[in-house]
Structure formats: C-alpha cells, structure tokens
Amino acid sequence: MATPSFEEIVEDFEFLEDWEDRYRYVIEQGKAMEPLPDALKVPATKVDGCASQVWLHPQVEDGVFRFDGESDAMIVKGLIAVLRRLYNGLTLAEVQAVDARAEMARLGLNDHLSAQRSNGLRAMIERIQSVAAA
C-alpha cells in the first residue's frame, strides 16, 4: 500500500530506463526538500546505522504521521524525500502496514545501493516504524 505521491515516483521510474537517470531523479527529490532546521539536528533525531549524517524529525498530528529529514549526503537526502512520499499523510496504523522494503524494491533501489546505503535506508525505515508503533 503506497500513497499516491509515492506512486508518482514509481511511474516516473518506469520512464527512466537508465539507473543513472533514476539516481539523479532521487537526488533531485532531496534537493527539492526544505532543509531541516539546525535546532532539530540533535542526538534524539539522529539515525544510527547510516554511513552519513541523517536526522529524521517525525510528527503525529490528529493521528496523521509526517516527518522531515536531512542528510549530509545528496543521495541519502533523496532517499529521505522518497520515504517522505511513501509515509507522509498516513495514519499510524497505515505506516505500520506499509512494507517499505517491497515498495522500495519496486523502484529497483535494492539492486543499486551500496551495502552501507542499504543499511542506512533500513535504519531510517526502522526509525519510522518504531515511531508509528509507539
């Protein structure tokens, strides 16, 4: 189950046959995000298990999940943007029901990320899932 916003990414990826174009697309998604304020880049929002610096700032308002994030690596910031499109706007129960690995696999990311980036992506997904479960 994916949001319509995430489905747009899936559709865009179908038109981008070359992985280099897909990689650039993910980076552009990250560049389009608003930067996370420095005041939110604190140990409590830092995600362990990522090769680069990553911060996720989740919020739940009226039962709806949203998060913002930041990374010092362009591709990771792009992955944060993709995850935002996957999760933002869902209820907590819907967030928990999302099979993020399967959804990300639809983009072919599993085959093209380094082991370190894959571990970082997994750590971000686990952080999102744990917030939704709390």
Side-chain angles (χ1 to χ4, degrees):
M1 162 204 145
T3 64
S5 182
F6 184 79
E7 290 300 331
E8 288 176 18
I9 293 176
V10 173
E11 290 173 16
D12 290 346
F13 262 53
E14 289 174 4
F15 290 107
L16 301 171
E17 295 178 16
D18 181 39
W19 175 247
E20 292 294 320
D21 292 336
R22 291 179 176 191
Y23 199 79
R24 275 191 290 279
Y25 177 93
V26 171
I27 289 172
E28 289 302 316
Q29 294 297 306
K31 287 181 179 179
M33 284 190 336
E34 290 290 322
L36 191 67
D38 286 341
L40 296 176
K41 295 178 185 176
V42 296
T45 61
K46 193 163 192 286
V47 178
D48 295 324
C50 297
S52 54
Q53 301 273 5
V54 177
W55 298 270
L56 298 182
H57 180 251
Q59 299 168 299
V60 180
E61 189 173 306
D62 296 327
V64 176
F65 180 84
R66 294 196 180 289
F67 80 94
D68 294 310
E70 182 79 52
S71 176
D72 59 353
M74 289 190 308
I75 187 63
V76 177
K77 189 169 179 179
L79 292 173
I80 292 168
V82 171
L83 288 174
R84 288 180 72 218
R85 299 211 18 209
L86 178 62
Y87 286 113
N88 279 3
L90 298 179
T91 67
L92 295 176
E94 289 170 336
V95 168
Q96 291 178 299
V98 169
D99 183 348
R101 287 183 181 87
E103 294 297 341
M104 298 303 270
R106 292 172 60 199
L107 301 177
L109 291 174
N110 300 346
D111 300 330
H112 296 281
L113 293 177
S114 69
Q116 283 186 320
R117 294 283 183 242
S118 293
N119 288 338
L121 180 61
R122 187 171 22 262
M124 289 188 283
I125 291 167
E126 287 171 3
R127 171 70 65 91
I128 291 165
Q129 293 286 331
S130 70
V131 168

